[in-house]
Amino acid sequence: MSLRLPRRASNGRKDATRLALLEAALNVFGEKGYHGAAVDDIVDRAGRSKGAAYFHFPSKAAIFRALVRELANQLVNSIQRKMDDVDSPAERLDAALLGLIEVFVRHRALARIVLIEVAGAGRAFSADLIFVRRQFADLIERELDRAVEIGAIPPCDTHLIATAWFGALNEVAVHWLHDPDAGSLHASYPSLRQLLLQSVGFSPAEVDRVPLHA
C-alpha cells in the first residue's frame, strides 16, 4: 500500500507536484533503498514529468534530503500530539516512546528511511542524519528538563540521556527492520519503557502506575 504525507494548505499546482514527488519518493526509497532508487522511478510513481521533478529538486540527493527532513518533522509532530494528551512527566515520556513505536509499526517504509537509508546513503547526508537524531532527542530533552524543573526526577545531564534514549530506540528498531524473525516491535515496548523511565529516576512503582498501552 502506498504511503501519503499529511496535507497542508497549498499554493496550487507547484505545491501539489512537490508533494506528489515526495510521496512517490517515500514509497520508492522505502522499497528500493536510496542507492537502488532512480529519479525515473520517482517520476513514474508520481505521474509527473522529469522536467517537473528537476524544477523542484535538482537531483536524487535533493529529493532524499527534502523527504528525510519532512519525515522527521512529521514524526516529531505526531509524537508531540500524543504527548499532549497526558500530563505527568512519566506519562508524557511514555507517550513519546509509544508514539514512535506506533508510527514505525504502521509505516515500516518510513522507519526504514529515517533509521537505515539515511545512515547508509553516504557522508553527504551526515547533516541529515544528525537532524533526524536531534529532532527526537531534543523532544525528549525538553521533557526531561521539565521533569527536573518540577522535581519529578533528580537533576541529570538531560542532553546526554536524551541522546542515549534515541540510541536505544534506534538499535531496537533497526534490529526489527533487519530481522524478519524479530517479532513485533510493540513487544519491546514494556521492557523499553521500564528501562528508559527508570534510567532517569522514576521508581518501579511510578513506572507501574503509568498505563501500559501496548
Side-chain angles (χ1 to χ4, degrees):
M1 181 177 67
S2 293
L3 299 178
R4 302 185 72 189
L5 295 171
R7 264 50 189 166
R8 299 175 179 173
S10 173
N11 291 325
R13 183 178 296 179
K14 287 182 180 179
D15 282 353
T17 297
R18 185 178 188 277
L19 180 62
L21 290 165
L22 288 177
E23 285 184 342
L26 169 59
N27 288 281
V28 170
F29 287 131
E31 294 165 6
K32 297 187 175 185
Y34 176 75
H35 294 293
V39 172
D40 284 345
D41 297 325
I42 296 169
V43 168
D44 290 345
R45 182 72 66 93
R48 298 300 198 271
S49 70
K50 205 165 185 177
Y54 283 120
F55 174 82
H56 290 278
F57 306 105
S59 64
K60 181 176 78 168
I63 299 174
F64 186 69
R65 182 168 287 114
L67 175 64
V68 166
R69 290 177 178 257
E70 176 71 21
L71 291 177
N73 286 327
Q74 294 296 338
L75 181 59
V76 167
N77 289 340
S78 175
I79 294 170
Q80 185 67 64
R81 287 192 296 271
K82 195 169 187 68
M83 294 168 68
D84 289 343
D85 288 337
V86 292
D87 294 318
S88 77
E91 287 178 313
R92 287 175 65 84
L93 288 164
D94 176 72
L97 170 61
L98 182 59
L100 185 67
I101 288 173
E102 287 181 341
V103 170
F104 285 166
V105 168
R106 287 198 305 269
H107 305 301
R108 195 181 183 100
L110 182 156
R112 177 169 291 279
I113 289 169
V114 299
L115 297 181
I116 295 177
E117 293 303 325
V118 70
R123 291 184 179 179
F125 297 98
S126 295
D128 303 284
L129 179 59
I130 292 171
F131 178 82
V132 169
R133 290 174 173 173
R134 288 313 324 161
Q135 284 291 94
F136 180 73
D138 286 350
L139 180 67
I140 297 300
E141 184 176 349
R142 289 193 296 271
E143 288 304 315
L144 291 173
D145 285 339
R146 175 175 175 268
V148 170
E149 184 178 347
I150 65 176
I153 60 174
C156 56
D157 186 339
T158 57
H159 179 82
L160 177 63
I161 291 173
T163 302
W165 270 46
F166 179 84
L169 290 165
N170 181 76
E171 285 299 311
V172 171
V174 167
H175 174 69
W176 167 70
L177 287 166
H178 277 306
D179 186 356
D181 299 321
S184 168
L185 186 59
H186 267 131
S188 67
Y189 161 63
S191 295
L192 265 177
R193 82 173 202 147
Q194 184 176 30
L195 170 69
L196 297 178
L197 290 177
Q198 288 185 214
S199 74
V200 296
F202 291 107
S203 69
E206 288 175 310
V207 176
D208 288 342
R209 284 197 292 270
V210 177
L212 191 64
H213 298 285

